[in-house]
Structure formats: C-alpha cells, structure tokens
Amino acid sequence: LRNYPVQGNNTILLAWLGMAFAIIFTYPLVFTTGRDSLISLVPQLRRMTKRQPRQMHVLLTCSLVAATAMVGCFLDDVSRVTEFLGATIGSCLCWILPAIIYLKSVLLCPSSAELESAHEPLLPKLDMKLQRLPTAGGVLIAYTSAMVAVGCLAMSVGVSDVFGFI
C-alpha cells in the first residue's frame, strides 16, 4: 500500500485502517497460541509455569512482546520475515514433520501383542485392531530418513537465500 498516494485518497486510507484493525485484533489470538505452544514444547517452562503460574505468564508474555517489538522496530520490510517463515515452515511441513512422525510411530510404537494386552484402549470408543506401521524391511525408514535430510537441506538453502549467503 506504500506505492499508492495517501493524500486525497480515502480508499487507501481506509485500506490502511483495515490492515491496522486486522493486526490489532488477530495479534492476541496468534500470540496466545504461540506462547502456549512454547510452554508445552519446553519442559523447563512447563515446570516453572506449574510452580509459579502468574510470574511465568507475566515474564514470558513481556519477553515475547518485547522481542516482537524489537523485530518490528528494526525491520523496515516485513517480506524478510515472511521469506524466512516460508523457508523454514514450508520445509518442515512438507519434508521433515511427516517423516519424523512416521519414524517416531515406527520406532517407538509397541508391538501388536503389547497393544492388545493393554488394559485401556488408546481410543476409548473405537473397537479396532491396532497394527504396527509397515517398514518394508527398513526401506521406508531409510526413505523417511532421507526425507528429513532433504528437508533440512532445503531449509538451509532457503534460509541462506533469505539472508543473502547464496
């Protein structure tokens, strides 16, 4: 919207106000979800939040808001942030996370006999036989490991491109 003249152009001014309202009212929703996800991902934060919930809430919220404000103050163009997010999140969603989910399911899943002998079903209202995921003699494990490597390589190339190393 910076390419359009503002003076005398009420449509552009209205678009700017609309974008401001969108940011003002969606930031708390995205921020709360991000903070809660961060707490659930980092075990130390989870323990500290259980011990001192109010202090950790205030400290973590202030720290994250300050970090966001600092990034906003030093960046003139948001495209760097979106490029970085695209380089990291795109590779994670397409290559890395599906492979890691499969590997974790195959390598950490108990055997079928252990699943059947469990006292409580994993999914309470479903009556179905649970089976181990196929591995094709280790070929699928090798393939998913290669997917993780390709995803990490794609992410590092994307991030290097964003920061101008390539």
Side-chain angles (χ1 to χ4, degrees):
L1 293 175
R2 287 184 180 181
N3 295 333
Y4 298 103
V6 178
Q7 292 179 349
N9 198 344
N10 292 335
T11 308
I12 298 301
L13 189 58
L14 188 62
W16 278 8
L17 288 173
M19 287 181 64
F21 280 120
I23 291 169
I24 288 169
F25 291 115
T26 59
Y27 182 80
L29 297 172
V30 173
F31 182 82
T32 302
T33 306
R35 183 189 59 221
D36 292 345
S37 297
L38 181 66
I39 289 171
S40 67
L41 284 174
V42 180
Q44 294 168 335
L45 285 177
R46 196 175 326 132
R47 282 192 301 269
M48 291 176 70
T49 302
K50 285 181 182 177
R51 272 191 257 140
Q52 300 173 339
R54 180 169 295 208
Q55 290 87 353
M56 278 306 298
H57 177 80
V58 170
L59 179 67
L60 193 58
T61 301
C62 290
S63 301
L64 291 173
V65 168
T68 304
M70 292 297 287
V71 169
C73 288
F74 289 116
L75 286 179
D76 292 335
D77 191 9
V78 177
S79 66
R80 288 282 190 191
V81 175
T82 56
E83 288 173 357
F84 178 74
L85 289 175
T88 55
I89 293 173
S91 296
C92 282
L93 287 177
C94 294
W95 294 96
I96 299 171
L97 292 179
I100 288 177
I101 290 170
Y102 174 79
L103 287 172
K104 190 170 183 177
S105 298
V106 166
L107 299 177
L108 298 180
C109 181
S111 68
S112 298
E114 289 174 321
L115 287 174
E116 289 175 7
S117 68
H119 297 291
E120 292 184 32
L122 295 174
L123 302 172
K125 299 198 178 195
L126 297 176
D127 187 25
M128 57 187 240
K129 290 257 185 194
L130 298 174
Q131 298 176 359
R132 290 182 60 91
L133 293 172
T135 60
V139 173
L140 288 177
I141 293 175
Y143 175 72
T144 53
S145 300
M147 281 179 59
V148 171
V150 168
C152 290
L153 179 65
M155 186 181 347
S156 61
V157 167
V159 169
S160 298
D161 187 38
V162 167
F163 292 117
F165 298 133
I166 294 179

